[in-house]
Amino acid sequence: MSTPDLFDPVTLGAIRAPNRILMAPLTRGRGTRDHVPTPLMIDYYAQRAGAGLIISEATGISREGTGWPYAPGIWTDEMVEGWKPVTAAVHAKGGRIVLQLWHMGRVVHPDLIDGAAPVSASATTAPGEAHTYGGKKPYAQARALETSEIPRLLEDYAHAARNAIRAGFDGVQVHAANGYLIDQFLRDSSNLRTDAYGGSVENRVRLLREVVQTIADAIGADRTAVRLSPNGDTQGVIDSDPASLFTVAAQALDAIGIAFLELREPGPEGTFGATDQPRQSPLIRQHFNGPLVLNSDYDMARAQGDLASGLADAISFGRPFIANPDLPERLATGAPLAQAPMATWYSQGPEGYTDYPALSQIAA
């Protein structure tokens, strides 16, 4: 059997990806103030349809869970209609796209949810400041999500997943990483609960398992994926024993039979989001039998190495896709990669969004 290559196809649940270069989720803030996708987003995603699979930017499942200015949502019919031409354009160019489902938990600022307190695993406050329509403001203390509210939360996820399929997406990815709501339940720095959703590792994994099972029941496990960030601190969320925690999480997701699991794993000093906590992917690989996608600071050589060793089945690239809409072609040909200035990552309008030329345009 030949060693897998970045440019080989791979099966991710119900999705047959033509290559193993996935586009990682990237928040870009080009929706409306009411979180409706805009026509500008059609061009952006269509330009990147050469990815084996596009994982969309994080997309709010509800008003309660959406705390990023101009980020899109998926909880209303208007949002569904806004996404339809995006998915149609990607499919017209031969691409595949899944929607990342997002509940931000304690990092939702009250200004974005009509003054209400954000919810989290426990009554904690995220460090730093939130992006709001009025500029950056300190985060507010969250209130602990009541156990009685969890059925409603599960329905919010199921409703969002069904809407994603209505909008033409090939599946969804549950955002359970980066210090957002599910991650706040998973890791012991932010989960201080003493009920069935706190304390033991099994209890802290419970919400993740219930959310993913609920979505799998709604749209199929083969169209349901998950993103985890098992090492390091993100937005003040970290775990004291990630090996024990993410072993149990991997086993739970394996039992559900999800389409694929993506891991964001920054490395030591000098990488984006650097951490001294070791990567957990070698351990997770032993407990999760489905397709494993790795992410964070990959170049061509390291990506090929992790595929060849069997550690990964695909690699997701985030920031390189911002300024290189034809990233797979550039990697295949060894062309230089353009850089994207951070000043336009989250700005509105086409600058730094849809105005990066492909190699064919540069040659012309």
Side-chain angles (χ1 to χ4, degrees), residues 241-312:
D241 184 7
S244 296
L245 170 62
F246 288 99
T247 293
V248 173
Q251 291 168 344
L253 296 173
D254 188 68
I256 294 171
I258 62 171
F260 66 90
L261 173 59
E262 183 195 19
L263 305 179
R264 175 187 174 270
E265 292 188 295
E269 186 177 352
T271 59
F272 195 82
T275 177
D276 292 331
Q277 275 195 340
R279 293 185 174 97
Q280 298 298 313
S281 45
L283 176 63
I284 289 171
R285 187 58 148 166
Q286 298 173 34
H287 297 277
F288 180 77
N289 296 307
L292 190 64
V293 179
L294 300 186
N295 167 263
S296 216
D297 297 291
Y298 272 90
D299 58 18
M300 180 80 165
R302 186 170 152 241
Q304 293 283 31
D306 280 356
L307 288 178
S309 72
L311 181 61

Side-chain angles (χ1 to χ4, degrees), residues 9-357:
V10 62
T11 299
L12 304 170
I15 299 166
R16 178 73 167 167
N19 63 63
R20 297 173 187 233
I21 301 167
L22 276 55
M23 178 172 160
L26 293 159
T27 294
R28 302 306 310 276
R30 261 67 175 195
T32 71
R33 191 173 176 128
D34 292 325
H35 307 295
V36 177
T38 58
L40 188 62
M41 294 165 61
I42 301 170
D43 291 338
Y44 170 76
Y45 282 108
Q47 288 171 353
R48 289 153 179 81
L53 173 66
I54 294 171
I55 305 170
S56 84
E57 64 202 280
T59 299
I61 65 165
S62 63
R63 182 172 297 281
E64 172 194 81
T66 307
W68 192 277
Y70 303 106
I74 192 63
W75 67 88
T76 70
D77 288 343
E78 186 181 10
M79 294 166 185
V80 171
E81 293 304 313
W83 276 116
K84 282 181 178 179
V86 176
T87 60
V90 170
H91 291 149
K93 294 190 73 171
R96 296 138 183 84
I97 183 169
V98 298
L99 184 73
Q100 191 186 57
L101 301 179
W102 200 20
H103 191 304
M104 295 172 64
R106 72 179 188 178
V107 293
V108 176
H109 194 275
D111 282 5
L112 276 84
I113 50 174
D114 302 321
V119 299
S120 186
S122 303
T124 60
T125 306
E129 295 180 312
H131 292 270
T132 76
Y133 293 113
K136 288 190 174 182
K137 297 183 180 181
Y139 286 110
Q141 181 173 300
R143 67 174 181 83
L145 192 71
E146 298 287 344
T147 306
S148 61
E149 296 178 274
I150 288 178
R152 183 264 302 166
L153 176 69
L154 297 178
E155 179 49 35
D156 285 347
Y157 272 102
H159 176 69
R162 289 189 293 264
N163 276 354
I165 299 301
R166 281 207 298 137
F169 286 94
D170 298 298
V172 302
Q173 184 190 62
V174 177
H175 198 341
N178 298 12
Y180 296 118
L181 181 68
I182 296 175
D183 204 19
Q184 292 159 27
F185 271 81
L186 283 173
R187 298 202 267 183
D188 59 13
S189 70
S190 50
N191 187 335
L192 313 177
R193 301 173 77 99
T194 57
D195 63 5
Y197 292 87
S200 69
V201 164
E202 289 76 14
N203 280 0
R204 285 184 278 127
V205 169
R206 189 184 306 275
L207 183 66
L208 169 68
R209 186 178 69 246
E210 290 181 352
V211 166
V212 176
Q213 186 64 65
T214 297
I215 292 171
D217 291 344
I219 67 168
D222 60 350
R223 296 193 182 276
T224 303
V226 174
R227 178 179 242 224
L228 297 172
S229 51
N231 70 317
D233 176 299
T234 311
Q235 303 190 101
V237 175
I238 193 167
D239 198 79
S240 62
D241 184 7
S244 296
L245 170 62
F246 288 99
T247 293
V248 173
Q251 291 168 344
L253 296 173
D254 188 68
I256 294 171
I258 62 171
F260 66 90
L261 173 59
E262 183 195 19
L263 305 179
R264 175 187 174 270
E265 292 188 295
E269 186 177 352
T271 59
F272 195 82
T275 177
D276 292 331
Q277 275 195 340
R279 293 185 174 97
Q280 298 298 313
S281 45
L283 176 63
I284 289 171
R285 187 58 148 166
Q286 298 173 34
H287 297 277
F288 180 77
N289 296 307
L292 190 64
V293 179
L294 300 186
N295 167 263
S296 216
D297 297 291
Y298 272 90
D299 58 18
M300 180 80 165
R302 186 170 152 241
Q304 293 283 31
D306 280 356
L307 288 178
S309 72
L311 181 61
D313 296 293
I315 305 295
S316 67
F317 295 82
R319 296 182 307 282
F321 260 112
I322 294 177
N324 301 278
D326 54 349
L327 182 64
E329 181 181 353
R330 291 180 189 239
L331 293 177
T333 60
L337 300 185
Q339 299 300 311
M342 193 172 180
T344 57
W345 284 7
Y346 310 121
S347 59
Q348 280 70 66
E351 183 183 0
Y353 188 61
T354 54
D355 59 352
Y356 291 109

